[in-house]
Structures are given as C-alpha cells and as structure tokens.
C-alpha cells in the first residue's frame, strides 16, 4: 500500500539523516536557500527528515493509523490506480502547499529551518475528517472520543493561535495550511463529497 511505502521511505531517510548532519541540512526546509539558491526540492525533501526519533514516531504512527483508512476510502471513491494516485498526490503536494506561507514569512531569516512531514500528515488527517466527520478520535490522556469534525475545528484554532503566540519551535502554520489543503483536495475532484460531509454533520442535530 502507498501509506506503508511512504512510512518505510520516510523512516529510512530520517534515520540516516539523524546520523548524517550534512544530509539533514541538505534536505531540510530553508526559505532562504529555496529563494536565493532556487533549491525548490526542499519544499518536498523536508518531509523525509525528522528532528529525532519521537518526532519521526509520532508522525509515522498518525500516518499509519489514519492514512490507511484514507487510502482505502480513495480506492473506493476512484478505484485503482486512480485512487492510489490521488492519495499519493495529496501527500506529496501537501508538503509543498503547506510551506508556501512560511516561505514568504521567513524569506529573509537565514536561521530558520524546518523538518518533518507534519504538513502532509495534517492534510491526511483533514482528508479523513472530510470523509468521516463523525468518526471518534481519541487524544492522548483523554479517554472520551471526540467527533473528528470537532477535533478539526479545535486543531485549526490551536494551530492558528500557536503560530501567532507560541514559542515552541513547532511549525503550526504548516499544520494549519496542510489541514486546509487536505480538506479541500478531494472536493476539487469530487465536489459531492462536500455535500456528503454536511449531510453527515446534520445527523448530530
């Protein structure tokens, strides 16, 4: 499956880069290197490297847990190979589109770098929210399941707030725009999914 292949490739490259600092900095997201040296490959390659084992584990666990479900849904909606192709396109293109705001924001900041597949992971999460808005999601240490649409709203609010006021070195802006992109992606190809989304939401009332 595509999800498993992404996890394997990302894990292998990330582990190698953790011990090879030259490779790590060659692949990381750097707005100044992208703009000044035209190294646009960095808008994709940063998703192959992670800061440490925990960063890698969390991202790959979420991708495994939710990505397989979204991948199967895409296969159901578009068949094979179109479904798998669209799913792979969603993941890869989300890496790029989720970084556009940060390229502009940090264009003159030589010290700013970022790594991790979080932008693409956020896109996968919100692709799942579009398809399964009432599915219960469980957050660590909270035993009560939250409908995914409620989780999505809280996630966007939190990401927007932390991007403006947080100082934790996490790319909340990338999370926010990756999520928006992931929600809209499938609608571009099948607009009736938006109708189905709101139809399911109405079931709450």
């Amino acid at each position: 499956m595509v999800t498993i292949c992404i996890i394997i490739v990302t894990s292998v490259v990330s582990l190698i880069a953790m011990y090879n600092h030259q490779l790590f900095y060659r692949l990381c997201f750097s707005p100044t290197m992208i703009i000044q040296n035209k190294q646009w490959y960095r808008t994709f390659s940063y998703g192959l490297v992670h800061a440490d084992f925990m960063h890698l584990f969390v991202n790959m666990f979420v991708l495994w847990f939710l990505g397989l479900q979204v991948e199967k849904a895409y296969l159901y909606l578009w068949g094979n190979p179109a479904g798998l192709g669209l799913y792979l396109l969603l993941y890869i293109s989300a890496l790029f589109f989720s970084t556009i705001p940060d390229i502009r924001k940090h264009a003159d900041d030589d010290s700013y770098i970022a790594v991790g597949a979080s932008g693409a992971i956020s896109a996968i999460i919100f692709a799942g929210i579009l398809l399964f808005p009432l599915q219960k999601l469980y957050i660590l240490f909270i035993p009560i399941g939250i409908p995914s649409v409620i989780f999505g709203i809280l996630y966007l609010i939190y990401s927007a707030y932390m991007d403006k006021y947080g100082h934790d070195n996490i790319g909340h802006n990338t999370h926010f725009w990756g999520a928006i992109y992931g929600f809209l992606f499938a609608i571009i190809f099948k607009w009736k999914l938006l109708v189905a989304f709101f139809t399911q939401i109405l079931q709450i009332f």
Side-chain angles (χ1 to χ4, degrees):
M1 289 189 175
V2 173
T3 301
I4 300 302
C5 291
I6 293 173
I7 291 173
I8 292 173
V9 172
T10 303
S11 297
V12 170
V13 176
S14 291
L15 291 172
I16 294 173
M18 286 179 196
Y19 297 97
N20 187 328
H21 295 295
Q22 184 178 3
L23 177 63
F24 181 90
Y25 288 108
R26 185 177 296 171
L27 298 179
C28 71
F29 175 75
S30 169
T32 55
M33 296 297 287
I34 291 170
I35 295 174
Q36 296 174 14
N37 294 353
K38 309 300 181 184
Q39 295 180 355
W40 290 96
Y41 73 86
R42 290 177 181 270
T43 58
F44 300 99
S45 64
Y46 78 97
L48 292 172
V49 289
H50 289 76
D52 51 40
F53 291 106
M54 184 56 65
H55 187 202
L56 173 64
F57 173 78
V58 171
N59 272 351
M60 294 303 99
F61 177 77
V62 174
L63 179 58
W64 171 76
F65 186 73
L66 296 176
L68 288 175
Q69 184 180 33
V70 174
E71 181 180 343
K72 290 179 181 177
Y74 272 43
L75 270 173
Y76 174 79
L77 289 168
W78 286 285
N80 190 10
L84 293 180
L86 283 175
Y87 176 77
L88 182 60
L89 178 62
L90 164 63
Y91 186 89
I92 294 176
S93 59
L95 290 171
F96 172 76
F97 283 104
S98 63
T99 64
I100 292 177
D102 278 338
I103 292 177
R104 299 179 61 185
K105 183 178 180 180
H106 301 284
D108 299 318
D109 186 355
D110 293 334
S111 65
Y112 184 85
I113 64 170
V115 294
S118 300
I121 303 299
S122 293
I124 296 297
I125 293 173
F126 274 71
I129 290 174
L130 170 67
L131 298 170
F132 313 106
L134 301 185
Q135 176 178 276
K136 296 294 181 65
L137 295 179
Y138 292 85
I139 304 174
L140 193 63
F141 305 125
I142 300 179
I144 302 175
I146 303 174
S148 65
V149 65
I150 302 300
F151 170 85
I153 293 171
L154 296 175
Y155 183 92
L156 291 176
I157 294 173
Y158 173 78
S159 296
Y161 177 86
M162 291 301 292
D163 177 64
K164 188 172 183 178
Y165 300 107
H167 302 283
D168 53 8
N169 295 319
I170 295 175
H172 295 288
N173 202 32
T174 300
H175 295 178
F176 181 91
W177 290 108
I180 297 297
Y181 180 78
F183 186 86
L184 296 175
F185 180 86
I187 297 173
I188 295 172
F189 299 95
K190 194 181 287 288
W191 65 270
K192 289 184 178 180
L193 290 175
L194 186 60
V195 177
F197 171 80
F198 284 112
T199 300
Q200 293 180 71
I201 297 299
L202 288 176
Q203 294 179 18
I204 299 177
F205 306 100

